[in-house]
Amino acid sequence: MPMFTSGKVAATPFFIENGPQGLDLIRQALMQLPPNETALTPGWLGASNDDRIRQYGIAPGHEIPVQHISADPRTPDRLLARYYFWTHDPARAAILSHRPTHEHFRLDAVDVVITLLETGQILALASSRTPEHLSAVESGLAASLSGAVARFDQPTMLHLGRPDFFLWAIEWIENGPSIGEVSLLEGSSLATLDGFSRGSTIHHTVDSSRPVVLNAIANGETLGPMRLHVRIDSLPAKIVVELHLDGSFVVLTSETHYSIHAGVANKSMRAVEDVAFFLIPLLRSQYESDIDWSDSRRDSYIAKARQRLVDLYSGPDGT
């Protein structure tokens, strides 16, 4: 289910252009368009652990309004909203043609976190990477925020820059120190794309001790997305997240753990906010400021990968 409050969660960052300049104004506008089950018209409420999602012929199981959540040391002021809509199921309609029409429609929902940046831009996170869900959010924002446009096609500050980021992450896991209070523990999955646009995925440990990883590095294959295991010492917490180049991500909540002392009420929601507002900005800043990487360490790392392949596959006489 594409929600921030339960299960494995995905997030896609985007800007909202031409929206009201103020979270309270945005909240008021969203609340003017609640979902209506009788008319099957979509709309906005707050987020909850709603077990009615993906059921047929049913209304949302709550009337919680869009929430305005105050800033904390890691996270800015933000809104948490859920866009409810009904999806027609043609196969079900054909089988249950004798039943009332509303029973042919499945209740769906997408969560959206909205915050204002110091630049005046409106940054949002949608709880899905699926085009159909993102299209629904786009329609919902356009209907409720007059003149507003959801810009999924415009990179945000969560964009990781270049696929080289993932090569840097592999090298940093092996050789780099902690980044402040964050330690990159390991990579456990890495997608690669060779020069002939043939894709593959490396599972389990991703480091230069594995020939398949060495081969991808030595051949200059395009890397990413990548699954990272990170530790945040100050919480403390261990977060497992799949990072995509465009700044979207997937949190694996079954492998993500917060200390009981962190006082986390909802692990899924907290992990999404920690990744979006703390972890990705920290990693991106470290990558962009790592001059030694771009000046020499990158080339040296690639050269070592190539030499290790030669050593691995050469015969006893070096041929």
Side-chain angles (χ1 to χ4, degrees), residues 266-295:
N266 187 298
K267 180 175 69 172
S268 299
M269 187 74 248
R270 182 73 258 183
V272 166
E273 293 178 334
D274 281 336
V275 170
F277 297 117
F278 174 69
L279 181 62
I280 290 180
L282 179 71
L283 295 180
R284 174 173 165 162
S285 175
Q286 184 68 32
Y287 168 64
E288 291 178 343
S289 64
D290 193 350
I291 304 302
D292 181 56
W293 170 254
S294 56
D295 282 352

Side-chain angles (χ1 to χ4, degrees), residues 32-227:
Q32 293 300 310
L33 188 70
N36 186 310
E37 185 263 342
T38 303
L40 295 176
T41 53
W44 299 92
L45 290 172
S48 76
N49 293 323
D50 192 343
D51 59 4
R52 296 189 175 194
I53 304 298
R54 303 193 68 79
Q55 294 188 33
Y56 287 87
I58 200 166
H62 71 94
E63 295 183 356
I64 298 172
V66 175
Q67 295 124 301
H68 187 163
I69 305 172
S70 299
D72 59 45
R74 293 188 184 280
T75 315
D77 266 8
R78 67 268 188 208
L79 300 180
L80 176 57
R82 177 168 295 164
Y83 185 63
Y84 283 97
F85 57 99
W86 285 266
T87 302
H88 185 250
D89 186 333
R92 183 180 176 89
I95 296 171
L96 301 178
S97 58
H98 60 288
R99 300 293 298 168
T101 301
H102 74 279
E103 293 188 15
H104 305 160
F105 287 80
R106 182 184 69 242
L107 179 64
D108 284 319
V110 182
D111 287 348
V112 180
V113 171
I114 302 172
T115 188
L116 293 181
L117 304 178
E118 293 181 357
T119 59
Q121 294 171 295
I122 305 172
L123 175 68
L125 298 169
S127 63
S128 178
R129 299 187 66 253
T130 304
E132 292 80 6
H133 292 141
L134 300 184
S135 178
V137 168
E138 185 175 13
S139 299
L141 289 171
S144 54
L145 305 179
S146 179
V149 179
R151 294 299 304 271
F152 289 102
D153 59 338
Q154 182 177 336
T156 71
M157 67 290 303
L158 299 186
H159 196 290
L160 298 175
R162 296 175 293 141
D164 177 66
F165 169 88
F166 298 105
L167 180 61
W168 171 84
I170 296 170
E171 193 270 349
W172 195 277
I173 290 170
E174 295 178 8
N175 303 313
S178 297
I179 305 172
E181 60 192 84
V182 172
S183 299
L184 302 187
L185 303 177
E186 64 173 312
S188 61
S189 178
L190 175 69
T192 66
L193 190 69
D194 68 14
F196 298 97
S197 297
R198 296 175 300 195
S200 63
T201 301
I202 301 169
H203 295 288
H204 307 299
T205 303
V206 177
D207 63 30
S208 61
S209 68
R210 298 184 62 189
V212 66
V213 177
L214 289 173
N215 187 70
I217 296 172
N219 289 329
E221 295 184 7
T222 301
L223 306 180
M226 182 178 182
R227 185 175 299 174

Side-chain angles (χ1 to χ4, degrees), residues 292-311:
D292 181 56
W293 170 254
S294 56
D295 282 352
S296 60
R297 208 169 73 247
R298 179 183 187 277
D299 291 342
S300 175
Y301 189 62
I302 294 172
K304 288 178 181 178
R306 290 171 176 163
Q307 185 58 52
R308 290 182 70 177
L309 281 176
V310 171
D311 295 341

